[in-house]
Amino acid sequence: MSVPGGDRPVDAAVVGAGLMGASVALFLARAGMRVALIDRGGICRSASGVNAGTLTLHMTRAALIPYAMRGFEMWADASAWLGHDLGVTRTDGLCCAFTKDEAALLEERTRVRAAAGAPMELVSPARARAIEPGLGEGVRLATFCPIDGFASAYLTGLAYRQALVAAGVQVLEHRPVDGAEPAGTGFRMRGQGFDIRAARVVLAGGVWLEPMLRWFGIDLPVKVLVNQLAVTERLAPVLRTVLTVASGLLSLKQFSNGTVLVGGGWQGRGDRGHATGTLLPENLLGNLRLAAFALPALRDGRLVRAWLGLEAETADAMPAIGPVPGTPGAYVIGSVHSGYTSGPYMGRLLADLILGRTPERPLFPIDRLLAAARGPATEVAAQ
Amino acid sequence: MTDLDLIVIGAGPAGASAALEAHRLGLRCLLVDEAPSAGGQVWRAPPRGFVRRKADVDARAGDRLRAALAASGVRVAFEHPVWLITDGFRIEAVGPAGPVTWRTPAIVAATGASERVVPFPGWTEPGVIGLAGATILLKAQQVLAGERALVAGCGPLLPAVAAGVLKAGGAIEAIVDLASRRDWLAVLPAMLTRPDLLGRGLGWLAQLCRAGVTVHYRHALRRIVRTEGGLRATIALVDDSGAFVSGAGSREFEVDWVAVGHGLVPGTDITRLLGAEHRYEHDRGGWIAIRDEFGRTSVKGLLVAGDGGGIRGAAAAVEEGRLAGLAVAYDQGRLDDAAFARAARPIRRRMRRAAHFGAASARLMALRPGQVGTIPQETLVCRCEDVTRAEVERAIAAGADELNQLKAWTRCGMGPCQGRMCGETAAALVAAVSGSRAAAGFWTGRAPLRPVPLDVLLGDYAYADMPLPRAAPL
Amino acid sequence: MASTNRIQQSSAGARIEGALVRPPSVEITVDGMPVVACPGESLAAALLIAGHRALRASPRLGQPRGAFCLMGVCQECVVQVDGRLVPACQTPVRAGMRVETGGAGG
């Protein structure tokens, strides 16, 4: 059974309808390609739909700052190009240090991020409190950044689905792909009751990139981070910034509906074999304690929900974006640290590459990770 | 509390019975409940400091249960809402003195049911309360919510609440029953298995008759509006599917409070949280954990008992509790096969008998196929987040083909009630398009099981006390 | 919540006498005003009796909301007691408790 619409192969099949895959699919379709976007579940129901939605530079790796800033602009403008604003809210961003070590860490990280283009500056505790009156005691140093904010990540699927359908993408949900292989001049994706042929394939499977890349003989270890998140009931206005800490272990934001979302990458238990993991109580409590330390007003309210999302991480914690080595026509996108912020931009960059254009910024080819995995002997040979 | 063989969560008829049975068989058992005493919803104790002068049948049953618990020496932890359970099992609760952690190889989840109310315009007006809520107010708190009531909905709670209001000296303008007289007569044979309960019910009807209260069978609330004096309720004729009959007239009543309820829905929070397999069973109130006769679910060591495992009423709940306690004891090697079978036989017999009445009640309370269709587009489906039927259906049309995607796209179910008030309606709306309630799915089980106060949960601590993991990479 | 209280003052509940012996009543404050209640009874019940039916406003539409399920499920009766958000139906009355209606953010 082939894709509804005929037996003609599509120009591109994107496997994985998270933010990355959906973005690539959207931009390819808008450039005129016939695109199929396939997911084993519903669109954006994994990391993309359950993450904290933070749009910040405070938690962005230095090398990714320029990408995050472009991504931020795209999010802020989402109504125009995506047709849905996802509740994107621009705020100030404040990153705090509570100990001497954290202050040193903050100074260093601020310096490096600022050098990479982030408009950040160190501020005193008094200035931090003026920016964020609800701040707890004990702040020794803080970094202020006027480019910060958040989206309601749970709306990502809704926003993208509407845009994708309008762009003519075939959105194929609840269709797990069992395997993909070169077929003729293109590729063939097989699954329960479907068989899709495409000239090109884009692997956008998040934590599932590791098994996906094996379809093409690539052995790329992808670590699975099991990030815990929590949200409160509606509270009175208690937070006006996106609040983070030097170590990156806390993110706090208050939505217009009053709920406060607590994140920071505290780990739960899980793996890619299970769509959802289990909370580790000590880590949830640790995260919440840190949150209440930074924002004491949280203690007046109640925790309403805690959940987990799986985030992909390569060996060097940098993205995996570019062609699949050894398989012309196959591409990969994913594993971007704090990838929600830069997601739409990363998708556009890869789409540009696939369309034969020059991406305006370098991508992140995975060859570097495979060379390292193979070991020094091969590295020497490659040189 | 270190070494435990069993923790029973929920000290209603099912849970208390499970704990008593397990304890009797030598298990080290802990009975936990968020309430200050045992009894659940149906056998609630009066508030602390209140003394009962007169006790009705339910009050006496509750008192007997509480006395049996006290006499047995079963360890109890009241005022301890459980908020998280993880594999193993590890149970997190918050008590008056702060957070508590327990570990146990076995859990009996006996957390009962919650009320289903199918929305109608005005259902969110202050002064409109649930039928089960009205029961609690009348019986446990001995409080009337207003002077003139309208009592509406379906099931055995309807005459119970109405009679309770009269007994308390309140006035009832009308009783509005989705069911027809024939629907009631159809369950009469099953109800004959409990002549005591049937007799009580008939007694209620007689009281209502004597007081001149009219029961409008095959009617439902159309809308409620706030007025100077209180509330104006409009009712209209429905067919057997619960849909309004077009062209039929309506009637209005001036009241100051309304009790309305459309049945009970099993509480599956714990079984969903722990990933047990579930099945949709309409006649048992909806989604329930797949379980054997003793309440064992697909998760090893996790059992269910009582209405939380499927609506079958208090009497069946007691027997299910006993069977669960017995099964845990057997599974932990306290009984051999023969002793287990011997002990189980009379309990199973009583449960089957009790289930007749319970099943009849459940049938009267089951959601009718036309009910959700009566909800006007602009009526709220999700009270917590102010989401209308129209918004829900727009999201479904945009591709939300199962309940959790619907939640992501509308916020329906994201509020502090955790989807308990809107779940039935939302699922029925999704099912109308996806084909079945089974296909529509159920809310993903998440912690906390109930909203948990952060102040008590976090306690007092210094910055240095917090075990901070390694910093994220730069 | 002054505007909604005005509407609801005419619709008040009542304690049923006869079946229960209640402890002597105590005073609590609700939105700064004294209210007589019984220690131990549910705060939701006490508020209904005192005519405080509207306890908060709904989040998007600002509609008045009050106790609905009476069993700690619906969260419609959430009020501030001594600064903390709690469901009134799950909160026993205590002498001197300070209750603020209007929720937190709504």
XYZ file of all heavy atoms in Angstrom, chain A residues 43 45 61 98-99 102 109 113 154-155 157-158 161 174 234 247 249 257 266 269 276 279 281-282 284-285 288-290 292-293 298-299 301-307, chain B residues 83-84 86 90 92 384-385 398 401 404-405 407-409 411 414 418 444 446-448 451-455 457-459 461 463 466-472 474:
679
model
N 2.005 14.050 15.645
C 3.011 15.073 15.377
C 3.404 15.797 16.661
O 2.561 16.135 17.477
C 2.483 16.069 14.314
C 3.557 17.111 13.996
C 1.179 16.722 14.724
C 3.212 17.982 12.809
N 4.709 14.909 19.477
C 4.277 14.393 20.765
C 5.436 13.944 21.632
O 5.226 13.562 22.783
C 3.278 13.247 20.570
C 1.930 13.816 20.183
C 0.756 13.106 20.759
N 0.770 12.963 22.202
C 0.573 13.939 23.092
N 0.337 15.157 22.673
N 0.594 13.689 24.378
N 24.586 26.540 24.294
C 26.027 26.344 24.147
C 26.594 27.502 23.323
O 25.971 27.963 22.366
C 26.292 25.008 23.463
C 25.601 23.847 24.181
C 26.338 22.569 24.026
N 27.692 22.708 24.526
C 28.665 21.842 24.296
N 28.432 20.772 23.557
N 29.866 22.031 24.775
N 24.494 31.623 43.086
C 24.239 31.696 44.524
C 25.469 31.429 45.378
O 25.437 31.578 46.590
C 23.131 30.699 44.908
C 21.802 31.029 44.300
C 21.340 30.334 43.188
C 21.004 32.037 44.819
C 20.113 30.632 42.611
C 19.767 32.351 44.252
C 19.332 31.644 43.135
N 26.538 30.939 44.755
C 27.758 30.671 45.509
C 28.937 31.296 44.768
O 28.808 31.730 43.618
C 28.026 29.164 45.641
O 28.300 28.640 44.326
C 26.852 28.427 46.251
N 29.687 29.348 41.686
C 28.701 29.615 40.636
C 28.950 30.981 40.002
O 28.774 31.163 38.802
C 27.284 29.550 41.202
C 26.830 28.131 41.526
C 25.422 28.086 42.082
O 24.770 29.152 42.177
O 24.967 26.986 42.432
N 30.993 31.925 31.724
C 30.011 31.563 30.694
C 29.425 32.795 30.023
O 29.177 32.811 28.817
C 28.911 30.697 31.303
C 29.457 29.350 31.733
C 28.413 28.328 32.084
N 29.064 27.000 32.132
C 28.435 25.851 32.082
N 27.129 25.822 31.978
N 29.098 24.720 32.133
N 29.654 33.470 26.100
C 28.413 33.624 25.320
C 28.334 35.005 24.707
O 27.888 35.164 23.565
C 27.194 33.354 26.203
C 27.022 31.875 26.535
C 25.723 31.588 27.265
N 25.533 30.136 27.396
C 25.404 29.504 28.550
N 25.451 30.162 29.698
N 25.234 28.194 28.568
N 3.598 22.944 23.936
C 2.540 21.961 23.638
C 1.712 22.339 22.411
O 0.980 21.524 21.880
C 1.641 21.724 24.859
C 1.106 22.952 25.533
C -0.038 23.585 25.066
C 1.741 23.483 26.662
C -0.536 24.713 25.694
C 1.249 24.616 27.288
C 0.112 25.226 26.809
O -0.368 26.341 27.434
N 1.843 23.587 21.967
C 1.113 24.007 20.770
C 1.906 23.765 19.486
O 1.405 24.025 18.386
C 0.763 25.499 20.872
C -0.239 25.863 21.968
C -0.390 27.376 22.061
C -1.593 25.217 21.682
N 2.815 21.130 17.805
C 2.212 20.210 16.847
C 1.050 20.834 16.115
O 0.894 20.692 14.898
N 0.212 21.527 16.843
C -0.952 22.178 16.243
C -0.506 23.218 15.227
O -0.982 23.258 14.094
C -1.802 22.834 17.339
C -2.975 23.684 16.865
C -3.990 22.847 16.108
C -3.641 24.383 18.044
N 1.260 21.468 12.199
C 0.385 20.626 11.373
C -0.426 21.467 10.402
O -0.559 21.141 9.230
C -0.544 19.790 12.247
C -1.102 18.588 11.501
C -2.021 17.776 12.399
N -2.296 16.479 11.838
C -3.122 16.258 10.813
N -3.737 17.283 10.255
N -3.307 15.038 10.357
N 1.016 8.130 13.169
C 0.745 6.755 13.619
C 1.209 5.735 12.591
O 0.518 4.744 12.332
C -0.756 6.582 13.916
C -1.280 7.651 14.827
N -0.841 7.796 16.125
C -2.167 8.653 14.622
C -1.446 8.833 16.683
N -2.243 9.368 15.787
N -2.212 27.882 38.804
C -2.120 29.319 38.544
C -1.765 30.057 39.818
O -2.384 29.855 40.862
C -3.466 29.840 38.036
C -3.489 30.028 36.566
C -4.860 30.385 36.095
N -5.250 29.481 35.065
C -6.070 28.467 35.250
N -6.623 28.264 36.414
N -6.325 27.672 34.251
N 24.578 27.181 36.569
C 24.898 25.802 36.190
C 24.006 25.283 35.070
O 24.249 24.219 34.524
C 24.715 24.897 37.403
O 23.378 25.008 37.851
N 20.983 24.397 35.623
C 20.139 23.379 36.241
C 18.750 23.877 36.626
O 18.013 23.187 37.338
C 20.834 22.814 37.479
C 22.107 22.025 37.167
C 22.840 21.702 38.463
C 21.772 20.747 36.413
N -1.133 32.725 31.857
C -2.230 32.149 32.637
C -1.846 31.942 34.095
O -2.637 31.421 34.881
C -2.733 30.834 32.015
C -1.699 29.728 32.035
O -0.738 29.758 32.816
N -1.867 28.737 31.183
N 16.888 18.110 35.148
C 17.085 17.081 36.185
C 16.562 15.769 35.614
O 15.509 15.719 34.989
C 16.335 17.456 37.459
C 16.931 18.643 38.153
C 16.963 19.927 37.699
C 17.586 18.662 39.414
N 17.590 20.745 38.590
C 17.985 20.004 39.665
C 17.884 17.696 40.379
C 18.647 20.383 40.820
C 18.551 18.074 41.544
C 18.924 19.416 41.750
N 14.189 8.517 34.950
C 14.650 7.233 34.447
C 13.876 6.881 33.197
O 12.648 7.001 33.173
C 14.445 6.151 35.509
C 15.705 5.389 35.817
C 15.569 4.371 36.945
N 14.380 4.462 37.742
C 13.448 3.508 37.830
N 13.589 2.405 37.139
N 12.405 3.649 38.599
N 7.611 6.930 27.481
C 7.603 7.800 28.645
C 8.384 7.140 29.772
O 8.387 5.928 29.908
C 6.156 8.136 29.056
O 6.172 9.032 30.151
C 5.408 6.892 29.463
N 9.587 9.212 36.907
C 10.196 10.290 37.678
C 11.111 9.723 38.740
O 10.845 8.674 39.322
C 9.102 11.107 38.375
C 8.183 11.958 37.516
C 7.077 12.531 38.383
C 8.943 13.072 36.843
N 12.035 10.732 42.278
C 11.532 11.713 43.250
C 12.618 12.650 43.776
O 12.377 13.849 43.919
C 10.961 10.848 44.375
C 10.696 9.521 43.760
C 11.677 9.361 42.647
N 13.819 12.114 44.063
C 14.851 12.992 44.619
C 15.190 14.102 43.634
O 15.459 15.237 44.032
C 16.170 12.255 44.886
C 16.087 10.989 45.676
C 15.634 9.826 44.826
O 16.107 9.665 43.686
O 14.787 9.091 45.332
N 13.198 15.294 41.250
C 12.085 16.240 41.141
C 12.119 17.207 42.320
O 11.999 18.421 42.154
C 10.754 15.498 41.094
C 9.520 16.399 41.007
C 9.533 17.239 39.746
C 8.238 15.575 41.071
N 12.328 16.658 43.504
C 12.372 17.504 44.691
C 13.570 18.440 44.637
O 13.470 19.601 45.038
C 12.399 16.645 45.955
C 11.069 15.959 46.265
C 11.202 15.013 47.448
C 9.995 16.988 46.564
N 12.686 21.228 42.323
C 11.698 22.118 42.920
C 12.294 22.934 44.056
O 11.948 24.104 44.246
C 10.489 21.311 43.415
C 9.633 20.680 42.318
C 8.615 19.723 42.933
C 8.920 21.740 41.500
N 13.197 22.333 44.812
C 13.834 23.072 45.907
C 14.684 24.210 45.352
O 14.666 25.325 45.870
C 14.684 22.143 46.776
C 13.868 21.282 47.682
C 14.642 20.768 48.888
N 13.725 20.109 49.795
C 13.599 18.779 49.916
N 14.359 17.979 49.199
N 12.712 18.268 50.760
N 15.407 23.900 44.293
C 16.226 24.947 43.660
C 15.312 26.056 43.137
O 15.597 27.242 43.291
C 17.052 24.336 42.528
C 18.033 25.243 41.795
C 18.999 25.907 42.776
C 18.803 24.448 40.743
N 12.293 26.891 44.247
C 11.724 27.658 45.361
C 12.787 28.510 46.044
O 12.471 29.532 46.642
C 11.067 26.722 46.375
N 14.034 28.085 45.945
C 15.122 28.893 46.503
C 15.256 30.170 45.677
O 15.389 31.269 46.227
C 16.427 28.097 46.491
C 17.528 28.762 47.250
C 17.714 28.471 48.588
C 18.365 29.694 46.644
C 18.715 29.082 49.316
C 19.374 30.321 47.367
C 19.546 30.015 48.708
N 6.895 30.498 45.016
C 6.377 29.208 44.558
C 5.786 28.408 45.705
O 4.879 27.592 45.529
C 7.495 28.377 43.914
C 7.911 28.756 42.497
C 9.035 27.835 42.027
C 6.736 28.675 41.538
N 6.296 28.625 46.899
C 5.879 27.826 48.044
C 4.414 28.034 48.402
O 3.832 27.236 49.126
C 6.749 28.146 49.257
C 8.226 27.851 49.050
C 9.006 28.168 50.300
N 8.740 27.190 51.320
C 9.587 26.213 51.662
N 10.748 26.097 51.054
N 9.270 25.369 52.618
N 1.985 27.931 46.342
C 1.108 27.217 45.417
C 1.313 25.725 45.454
O 2.017 25.185 46.319
N 0.694 25.059 44.525
C 0.741 23.599 44.478
C 1.283 23.119 43.135
O 1.100 23.760 42.111
C -0.655 23.019 44.701
C -1.239 23.339 46.078
C -2.665 22.841 46.214
N -3.554 23.443 45.237
C -4.749 22.958 44.933
N -5.199 21.870 45.519
N -5.506 23.573 44.045
N 1.953 22.018 43.196
C 2.431 21.340 42.004
C 1.256 20.599 41.393
O 0.563 19.873 42.091
C 3.519 20.345 42.413
C 4.091 19.452 41.324
C 4.936 20.273 40.369
C 4.936 18.347 41.955
N 1.042 20.794 40.104
C -0.115 20.168 39.462
C 0.284 19.018 38.545
O -0.477 18.073 38.368
C -0.930 21.229 38.665
C -1.892 20.587 37.674
C -1.697 22.109 39.631
N 1.466 19.101 37.974
C 1.843 18.039 37.043
C 3.351 17.971 36.903
O 4.032 19.004 36.883
C 1.241 18.345 35.677
C 1.282 17.161 34.729
C 0.329 17.428 33.593
N 0.308 16.377 32.610
C -0.471 15.307 32.672
N -1.268 15.137 33.698
N -0.441 14.398 31.723
N 3.861 16.746 36.790
C 5.271 16.539 36.497
C 5.355 15.509 35.388
O 4.569 14.570 35.360
C 6.008 16.038 37.740
N 6.292 15.704 34.457
C 6.390 14.760 33.344
C 7.825 14.687 32.871
O 8.708 15.327 33.448
C 5.452 15.166 32.202
C 5.767 16.465 31.527
C 6.461 16.669 30.358
C 5.376 17.770 31.964
N 6.532 17.986 30.063
C 5.875 18.701 31.023
C 4.666 18.254 33.065
C 5.679 20.074 31.136
C 4.467 19.623 33.179
C 4.974 20.524 32.224
N 1.188 11.313 46.424
C 1.317 12.108 45.199
C 2.157 11.452 44.126
O 2.020 11.777 42.947
C 1.836 13.521 45.504
C 3.229 13.596 46.033
C 3.614 13.486 47.349
C 4.428 13.818 45.297
N 4.972 13.612 47.448
C 5.497 13.822 46.204
C 4.700 14.013 43.932
C 6.812 14.000 45.812
C 6.020 14.203 43.531
C 7.054 14.188 44.481
N 2.998 10.504 44.491
C 3.840 9.854 43.490
C 4.079 8.412 43.885
O 4.279 8.106 45.062
C 5.185 10.590 43.370
C 6.287 9.924 42.532
C 5.866 9.812 41.071
C 7.580 10.739 42.628
N 6.449 5.153 42.338
C 7.347 4.674 41.293
C 7.575 3.185 41.465
O 7.161 2.592 42.471
C 8.694 5.422 41.313
O 9.216 5.411 42.640
C 8.523 6.859 40.868
N 7.763 2.497 45.343
C 8.138 3.541 46.293
C 7.020 4.563 46.262
O 6.648 5.026 45.189
C 9.463 4.158 45.860
C 9.908 5.275 46.754
C 11.195 5.889 46.290
N 11.299 7.256 46.743
C 12.432 7.936 46.790
N 13.569 7.386 46.386
N 12.429 9.186 47.212
N 5.384 8.163 47.607
C 5.622 9.473 48.232
C 4.283 10.059 48.655
O 3.353 10.121 47.857
C 6.288 10.435 47.246
C 7.516 9.885 46.534
C 8.712 9.755 47.441
O 8.837 10.541 48.395
O 9.536 8.855 47.198
N -11.525 24.060 34.307
C -10.252 24.608 34.788
C -9.662 25.613 33.821
O -9.067 26.604 34.232
C -9.221 23.490 34.966
S -9.536 22.372 36.327
N -9.772 25.336 32.538
C -9.088 26.146 31.537
C -10.038 26.919 30.636
O -9.609 27.533 29.658
C -8.174 25.244 30.680
C -7.107 24.523 31.485
C -6.061 25.474 32.024
O -5.665 26.397 31.290
O -5.630 25.302 33.182
N -8.557 19.750 13.504
C -7.195 20.087 13.086
C -6.251 18.903 13.200
O -5.071 19.020 12.871
C -6.678 21.256 13.918
N -6.424 13.482 17.241
C -7.251 12.286 17.111
C -7.210 11.398 18.342
O -7.739 10.300 18.318
C -6.825 11.489 15.874
C -5.333 11.152 15.897
O -4.665 11.457 16.912
O -4.839 10.600 14.905
N -4.750 12.852 24.445
C -3.585 13.589 24.928
C -3.125 14.648 23.943
O -2.625 15.701 24.326
C -2.454 12.623 25.287
C -2.832 11.726 26.448
O -2.908 12.166 27.582
N -3.151 10.483 26.150
N -3.316 14.390 22.660
C -3.019 15.428 21.669
C -4.037 16.547 21.801
O -3.694 17.724 21.697
C -3.040 14.822 20.260
C -2.528 15.747 19.159
C -1.013 15.921 19.124
O -0.412 16.367 20.102
N -0.402 15.591 18.001
N -5.438 17.471 24.489
C -5.028 18.242 25.656
C -3.913 19.211 25.282
O -3.959 20.381 25.644
C -4.549 17.297 26.765
C -4.072 18.028 28.005
C -3.847 17.094 29.157
C -2.580 16.319 28.944
N -2.327 15.405 30.071
N -2.939 18.745 24.536
C -1.817 19.604 24.150
C -2.288 20.798 23.330
O -1.754 21.895 23.453
C -0.790 18.797 23.348
N -3.287 20.590 22.521
C -3.687 21.642 21.596
C -4.764 22.577 22.132
O -5.037 23.609 21.524
C -4.159 21.022 20.275
C -3.047 20.355 19.530
C -1.735 20.238 19.925
C -3.133 19.724 18.264
N -1.019 19.564 18.974
C -1.838 19.239 17.942
C -4.183 19.511 17.353
C -1.574 18.548 16.761
C -3.908 18.840 16.177
C -2.614 18.366 15.886
N -5.439 22.772 25.951
C -5.280 22.880 27.393
C -6.420 22.181 28.147
O -6.410 22.162 29.363
C -5.159 24.332 27.887
C -3.850 25.017 27.531
C -3.630 26.276 28.362
N -3.570 25.987 29.787
C -2.467 25.636 30.446
N -1.324 25.524 29.808
N -2.513 25.405 31.745
N -5.449 20.144 31.237
C -4.155 20.566 31.792
C -4.299 21.266 33.130
O -3.305 21.621 33.764
C -3.464 21.535 30.829
C -2.619 20.862 29.801
S -1.518 22.065 29.066
C -1.107 21.199 27.572
N -6.774 17.988 36.720
C -6.033 16.938 36.019
C -6.931 16.112 35.108
O -6.777 14.908 34.970
C -5.286 16.051 37.028
C -4.328 16.866 37.888
C -3.757 16.097 39.053
O -4.457 15.325 39.700
N -2.485 16.314 39.330
N -2.739 10.293 29.841
C -1.491 9.673 30.291
C -1.377 9.846 31.802
O -1.581 10.937 32.315
C -0.295 10.358 29.611
O -0.480 10.323 28.204
C 1.002 9.667 29.980
N 0.111 10.604 35.204
C 1.243 11.430 35.627
C 1.145 11.716 37.109
O 0.068 11.695 37.696
C 1.221 12.782 34.885
C 1.468 12.692 33.396
C 2.928 12.566 33.094
N 3.176 12.542 31.660
C 4.099 11.818 31.075
N 4.882 11.049 31.803
N 4.261 11.877 29.779
N 2.288 12.066 37.690
C 2.307 12.575 39.057
C 2.267 14.098 38.977
O 2.660 14.653 37.963
C 3.576 12.107 39.754
N 1.862 14.756 40.039
C 1.306 14.216 41.270
C -0.116 13.711 41.048
O -0.824 14.199 40.172
C 1.299 15.415 42.218
C 1.175 16.602 41.328
C 1.922 16.241 40.076
N -2.993 17.684 43.113
C -2.109 18.831 43.347
C -1.528 18.758 44.759
O -2.245 18.483 45.712
C -3.053 20.036 43.210
C -4.166 19.552 42.344
C -4.346 18.102 42.682
N -0.226 18.988 44.860
C 0.423 18.849 46.163
C 1.055 20.176 46.564
O 1.740 20.816 45.766
C 1.444 17.684 46.137
C 2.488 17.880 45.058
C 2.114 17.496 47.479
N 0.788 20.620 47.792
C 1.296 21.925 48.233
C 2.822 21.921 48.292
O 3.422 21.053 48.933
C 0.699 22.101 49.635
C -0.300 21.021 49.806
C 0.010 19.942 48.834
N 3.426 22.884 47.638
C 4.887 22.914 47.551
C 5.542 23.199 48.885
O 6.601 22.665 49.210
C 5.328 23.950 46.500
C 5.158 23.442 45.071
C 5.229 24.573 44.067
C 6.208 22.395 44.753
N 4.902 24.036 49.687
C 5.488 24.402 50.956
C 5.764 23.171 51.820
O 6.867 22.988 52.332
C 4.532 25.342 51.687
C 5.223 26.086 52.799
O 6.423 26.363 52.663
O 4.569 26.365 53.812
N 5.709 20.051 50.809
C 6.494 19.070 50.071
C 7.985 19.355 50.175
O 8.794 18.453 50.356
C 6.075 19.085 48.596
C 6.775 18.095 47.680
C 6.411 16.679 48.057
C 6.406 18.370 46.229
N 8.346 20.621 50.068
C 9.765 20.961 50.014
C 10.392 21.084 51.389
O 11.584 20.838 51.555
C 9.966 22.261 49.232
C 9.423 22.251 47.809
C 9.718 23.573 47.112
C 9.998 21.099 47.016
N 9.602 21.486 52.377
C 10.139 21.634 53.726
C 11.149 22.762 53.793
O 11.236 23.604 52.895
N 15.112 24.007 54.034
C 16.425 23.525 53.614
C 17.299 24.717 53.307
O 16.822 25.825 53.065
C 16.302 22.644 52.356
C 15.559 23.331 51.244
C 16.231 24.029 50.243
C 14.162 23.320 51.200
C 15.547 24.693 49.246
C 13.469 23.966 50.204
C 14.159 24.668 49.231
O 13.465 25.324 48.239
N 20.692 26.151 50.942
C 21.212 25.943 49.586
C 22.178 24.772 49.543
O 22.154 23.960 48.614
C 21.908 27.209 49.093
C 22.148 27.197 47.610
C 21.101 27.423 46.723
C 23.415 26.933 47.087
C 21.306 27.403 45.357
C 23.623 26.911 45.721
C 22.560 27.149 44.863
O 22.767 27.117 43.516
N 21.035 21.055 49.026
C 20.505 20.529 47.766
C 21.579 19.785 46.988
O 22.640 20.336 46.727
C 19.948 21.673 46.920
C 18.673 22.240 47.509
S 17.909 23.437 46.415
C 19.020 24.805 46.609
N 21.286 18.555 46.596
C 22.271 17.775 45.830
C 22.210 18.183 44.359
O 21.394 17.675 43.615
C 21.782 16.343 46.014
C 20.305 16.450 46.204
C 20.007 17.828 46.738
N 23.047 19.136 43.973
C 22.958 19.619 42.608
C 23.773 18.738 41.678
O 24.942 18.474 41.922
C 23.463 21.069 42.536
C 22.669 22.067 43.389
C 23.297 23.444 43.332
C 21.222 22.127 42.913
N 23.146 18.293 40.593
C 23.900 17.488 39.632
C 24.951 18.332 38.904
O 25.049 19.531 39.106
C 22.832 16.985 38.658
C 21.555 17.602 39.049
C 21.767 18.522 40.200
N 25.705 17.679 38.042
C 26.748 18.361 37.280
C 26.135 19.429 36.383
O 25.044 19.234 35.828
C 27.463 17.333 36.403
C 28.933 17.590 36.225
C 29.607 16.295 35.762
N 28.757 15.532 34.883
C 28.933 15.418 33.562
N 29.921 16.059 32.979
N 28.114 14.689 32.839
N 26.848 20.524 36.218
C 26.362 21.614 35.372
C 26.254 21.163 33.925
O 26.981 20.293 33.472
C 27.312 22.807 35.472
N 25.331 21.773 33.202
C 25.176 21.477 31.782
C 26.413 21.978 31.032
O 27.098 22.897 31.483
C 23.923 22.166 31.254
N 28.919 23.869 28.344
C 28.879 25.192 27.728
C 29.003 24.958 26.213
O 29.846 25.283 25.546
C 30.007 26.053 28.302
C 30.162 27.459 27.705
C 28.880 28.239 27.732
C 31.260 28.225 28.417
